[in-house]
Amino acid sequence: MRMNGRSLPASVLLTIRDRRMRKANAAAHKATAATGTLVASYNVHKCIGVDRKFDPERTSRVIREIDPDVIALQEADNRFGDRDGLLDLPRLERETGLVPVPISATGKGHGWHGNVLLFKKGVVRDVHQIRLPGLEPRGAVVAEIDLDGNRTLRVIAAHLGLLRHSRSQQARVVLDIMSSADEKPTLLLGDLNEWRLGNRSALNTLHATFGPQPPAVPTFPSNLPLLALDRIMTNRHGMIAAVEAHDTPLSRVASDHLPLTAFVRLDHMVSADHTTMTSMMND
């Protein structure tokens, strides 16, 4: 296979082979590792598919396919004008039980700068809308949700910018959110627009707090995923498992991104907090 007269890089070929292996092993992997609360991140690309058709109903069908407990959507509003929301959220709630985390939005938008956070069960304890720095209009929704009546999970739904310098600034803002003394179990969901590694990568900035994560999963472009732009990250080791792309005939055409899914182990979140507190007391 060649591109622009040159052989594809070995890393790209390896990604394609890995994708085939992941699809072949997906069923067995789910049977052994897929337990817990299903979370997802999905850049819906303003409900415009790779066929260039605007089809919000198709986008909703992908969400129904995933059937998540918590999902963060990016680009769910028009970018300009009144920033109108593009999905039929009342219908989506009737069909899936997903309700949006309430925000104080202006205009007719679903979310904050196109970020929408939806969940099935639980109680929202607190919500913040964060304007992220940079030339593009970017933001994040930060919600503290009691999902199981036992412990509150902080969820950050974010969409970082296309410019490298902006992403670095935005990553630092995310870390500032998490710098409180009463550090909570936190889940970061979103399109981070970052596949590069190294000191100049926004991922390197986040690594200080989120630490080692499961292997990156390519989600872009949806018809042949090569780049891991979308991420599900946590600040608790072992709290997420079975991270994979939701790769179906419908999701490959509904957006230029595949949805990314993972399972959150709420019981592990509680035990991790207990271990941390015990360690602090012993010190």
Side-chain angles (χ1 to χ4, degrees):
M1 185 180 296
R2 300 177 70 83
M3 181 173 61
N4 295 332
R6 298 181 180 178
S7 298
L8 284 174
S11 59
V12 173
L13 294 174
L14 182 60
T15 297
I16 295 171
R17 287 196 295 269
D18 286 348
R19 178 174 180 249
R20 291 170 180 165
M21 293 177 63
R22 281 195 303 271
K23 291 177 68 176
N25 296 329
H29 182 66
K30 286 184 178 181
T32 58
T35 58
T37 299
L38 180 61
V39 301
S41 179
Y42 187 21
N43 185 328
V44 301
H45 196 230
K46 302 178 186 63
C47 300
I48 299 173
V50 295
D51 56 3
R52 300 185 181 180
K53 292 181 180 178
F54 173 69
D55 192 344
E57 168 57 24
R58 181 170 58 187
T59 302
S60 295
R61 281 161 45 209
V62 173
I63 297 172
R64 294 199 296 270
E65 276 188 349
I66 302 169
D67 192 24
D69 297 298
V70 178
I71 186 168
L73 305 179
Q74 301 89 45
E75 298 190 18
D77 297 345
N78 280 323
R79 184 171 184 179
F80 303 106
D82 289 336
R83 298 184 181 273
D84 293 353
L86 302 174
L87 296 169
D88 187 343
L89 293 187
R91 180 180 174 183
L92 190 63
E93 180 180 354
R94 291 193 302 270
E95 294 176 344
T96 66
L98 289 166
V99 297
V101 167
I103 63 167
S104 56
T106 58
K108 303 174 183 178
H110 293 325
W112 175 245
H113 287 285
N115 291 282
V116 185
L117 184 60
L118 304 106
F119 68 107
K120 278 185 180 176
K121 295 185 296 184
V123 178
V124 178
R125 301 297 184 188
D126 198 9
V127 182
H128 298 281
Q129 297 162 207
I130 308 297
R131 187 183 300 277
L132 296 177
L135 296 177
E136 306 164 274
R138 300 288 182 176
V141 175
V142 182
E144 296 181 7
I145 308 175
D146 184 347
L147 293 172
D148 63 353
N150 186 30
R151 184 59 62 97
T152 298
L153 176 67
R154 179 196 285 137
V155 182
I156 303 175
H159 187 189
L160 303 192
L162 296 173
L163 303 176
R164 183 192 58 79
H165 180 66
S166 295
R167 285 195 301 273
S168 296
Q169 290 179 314
Q170 292 156 3
R172 286 193 290 271
V173 171
V174 171
L175 295 187
D176 288 343
I177 294 171
M178 300 175 60
S179 62
S180 60
D182 58 337
E183 190 54 64
K184 296 178 176 64
T186 300
L187 193 66
L188 173 61
L189 305 170
D191 176 5
L192 303 189
N193 264 317
E194 185 70 271
W195 66 94
R196 301 174 181 85
L197 302 176
N199 293 334
R200 302 178 70 188
S201 169
L203 296 175
N204 188 66
T205 302
L206 294 169
H207 180 82
T209 294
F210 287 95
Q213 299 294 320
V217 177
T219 52
F220 180 88
S222 57
N223 53 0
L224 184 62
L226 300 175
L227 302 178
L229 301 186
D230 304 278
R231 299 281 175 148
I232 297 176
M233 307 173 73
T234 178
N235 65 340
R236 294 293 189 272
H237 178 68
M239 199 173 81
I240 57 174
V243 181
E244 60 183 45
H246 179 76
D247 189 352
T248 66
L250 188 63
S251 66
R252 283 180 221 129
V253 70
S255 169
D256 59 349
H257 287 246
L258 290 177
L260 187 67
T261 66
F263 284 87
V264 174
R265 299 162 173 165
L266 296 180
D267 56 341
H268 187 92
M269 177 181 82
V270 174
S271 62
D273 270 2
H274 177 74
T275 301
T276 301
M277 289 299 296
T278 302
S279 175
M280 292 173 62
M281 292 173 64
N282 290 338
D283 291 343

